[in-house]
Amino acid sequence: MAKHPIIDDIEKVLVSEEQIEEIVKRISAQIDAYYENRNSRLLLLGILKGSVVFMGDLMKHITVPVEIDFMKVSSYGNGTSSGSINILLDLYRKDFPNTDILIVEDIIDSGKTLSYLVEYLRLKGAKSVRTCTLLDKPERREVNFDADWVGITVPNEFVVGYGLDYDEKYRALPFIGVLKEEVYSQ
Ligand code: IMP
Ligand code: MG
């Protein structure tokens, strides 16, 4: 069966390849409509590493002209959500005032990463800062934050695939799945 031998570690598929394709088409159409007829530059800003697969699919479907760039951030402490945000790879641009930034994220959990980044990029002088995320886990929110475009809301379970990892594994799976508990506990 397996293109991916690691498929045995997956308990269930939460968002299938077909569902993801529909989400990408819907969000890219909404982005096209929102950003049409602008004179400023549109920058898709992917947050490494989790957003890379979503970013790749999204940029293929968006028809308005886009530029791409990436930032890498981490939060202090362990786990998926903790204290303050650490910028590991910053964004350098000369023309922030003429740039509409659309942050592309894999998942919103506590909300700390995106609320920090939106504020950071506004302070840098970007013309506008909007956010889109493939997945949203609203139950986990620690700060008040809503993305402008959300693919799908997911329950409070740890998910992998389509860019998202557990211990750097499973990013290449073409769907979003939930890991078997034994994978964490061994
Ligand atoms: P937060 O919204 O600042 O808490 O952080 C979101 C980040 O935590 C995401 O970009 C992911 O890297 C990571 N994350 C949160 N939940 C999950 C999950 O279920 N699977 C994989 N990574 C996750
Ligand atoms: Mg991430």
Side-chain angles (χ1 to χ4, degrees), residues 7-169:
I7 213 119
D8 290 341
D9 294 348
I10 302 297
E11 176 77 48
K12 64 178 178 203
V13 174
L14 202 61
V15 192
S16 69
E17 282 188 76
E18 292 75 19
Q19 280 176 286
I20 293 173
E21 202 181 310
E22 281 172 26
I23 290 168
V24 168
K25 284 183 186 158
R26 170 173 52 84
I27 291 188
S28 56
Q30 290 168 342
I31 290 170
D32 277 342
Y34 184 80
Y35 288 101
E36 72 178 355
N37 302 326
R38 293 208 175 204
N39 297 320
S40 41
R41 301 163 73 159
L42 175 56
L43 177 68
L44 298 184
L45 181 63
I47 308 307
L48 296 172
K49 306 172 196 171
S51 72
V52 288
V53 186
F54 183 41
M55 175 87 151
D57 278 349
L58 207 56
M59 62 188 281
K60 284 189 292 185
H61 283 83
I62 290 173
T63 58
V64 296
V66 292
E67 302 171 25
I68 65 164
D69 216 328
F70 296 91
M71 285 182 75
K72 189 170 186 184
V73 298
S74 73
S75 31
Y76 290 107
N78 52 16
T80 57
S81 60
S82 54
S84 48
I85 303 302
N86 203 2
I87 293 181
L88 304 178
L89 176 66
D90 206 346
L91 174 66
Y92 296 96
R93 267 185 96 84
K94 293 196 182 100
D95 60 348
F96 275 104
N98 192 36
T99 304
D100 291 306
I101 296 179
L102 175 57
I103 302 176
V104 179
E105 179 63 302
D106 52 356
I107 186 166
I108 306 180
D109 191 60
S110 71
K112 288 179 179 173
T113 303
L114 280 191
S115 60
Y116 176 85
L117 280 177
V118 167
E119 181 64 16
Y120 179 80
L121 293 163
R122 286 195 175 133
L123 286 172
K124 288 237 182 194
K127 182 168 185 190
S128 70
V129 185
R130 297 273 177 274
T131 55
C132 81
T133 184
L134 176 67
L135 306 175
D136 190 5
K137 262 193 221 175
E139 284 173 52
R140 298 260 308 168
R141 212 63 106 244
E142 291 173 39
V143 297
N144 191 10
F145 185 86
D146 291 317
D148 296 287
W149 294 281
V150 175
I152 187 168
T153 296
V154 293
N156 185 9
E157 289 180 294
F158 195 81
V159 294
V160 295
Y162 197 72
L164 290 94
D165 74 307
Y166 170 66
D167 195 21
E168 293 300 326
K169 294 190 283 273

